[in-house]
Amino acid sequence: MAASTARIATPNGRRYMTQLCKHWAHKFEVTYDETQGLVPFGPDSRCRMAADDSGLTLTLEVADAGQMERMQGVVIDHLKRFAFREDLGEVAWTGVG
């Protein structure tokens, strides 16, 4: 399983995480609370989220490393839609492989 992590500095991390979880709960068996969330996109991929007062940490896990870049784009695209009032800057992912 390949994993990649991104940290987004924002005072709204908890709100964005909750919005993402509620959005994807219409399609997937999402679990979340005030500080963490898990979105199982399928049997071979998932996104773990952890939120605190200073930001949101996203960890993508995929079985096929060739799908990592696409999945990163999907997650960030959705995040930026919910964070349209805030410039989140360039998101840097680390640890692919």
Side-chain angles (χ1 to χ4, degrees), residues 7-10 16 76 79-80 83-84 86-91:
R7 175 73 180 171
I8 295 98
T10 175
Y16 297 149
I76 294 304
L79 173 61
K80 288 187 174 184
F84 66 92
E86 180 179 358
D87 181 5
L88 300 179
E90 190 65 32
V91 177

Side-chain angles (χ1 to χ4, degrees), residues 1-4 38-39 41-42 44-48 59-64 68 71:
M1 184 85 64
S4 181
L38 173 64
V39 180
F41 290 118
D44 305 357
S45 64
R46 65 186 148 267
C47 181
R48 297 179 188 279
T59 302
L60 269 172
E61 299 169 347
V62 298
D64 178 2
M68 184 65 77
M71 291 302 296

Side-chain angles (χ1 to χ4, degrees), residues 31-88:
T31 57
Y32 67 98
D33 59 26
E34 291 182 12
T35 60
Q36 56 191 343
L38 173 64
V39 180
F41 290 118
D44 305 357
S45 64
R46 65 186 148 267
C47 181
R48 297 179 188 279
M49 295 178 254
D52 55 43
D53 292 336
S54 62
L56 177 62
T57 301
L58 305 169
T59 302
L60 269 172
E61 299 169 347
V62 298
D64 178 2
Q67 291 295 314
M68 184 65 77
E69 188 174 335
R70 184 181 73 78
M71 291 302 296
Q72 290 170 342
V74 167
V75 171
I76 294 304
D77 179 59
H78 281 77
L79 173 61
K80 288 187 174 184
R81 282 190 231 163
F82 291 119
F84 66 92
R85 292 180 190 92
E86 180 179 358
D87 181 5
L88 300 179

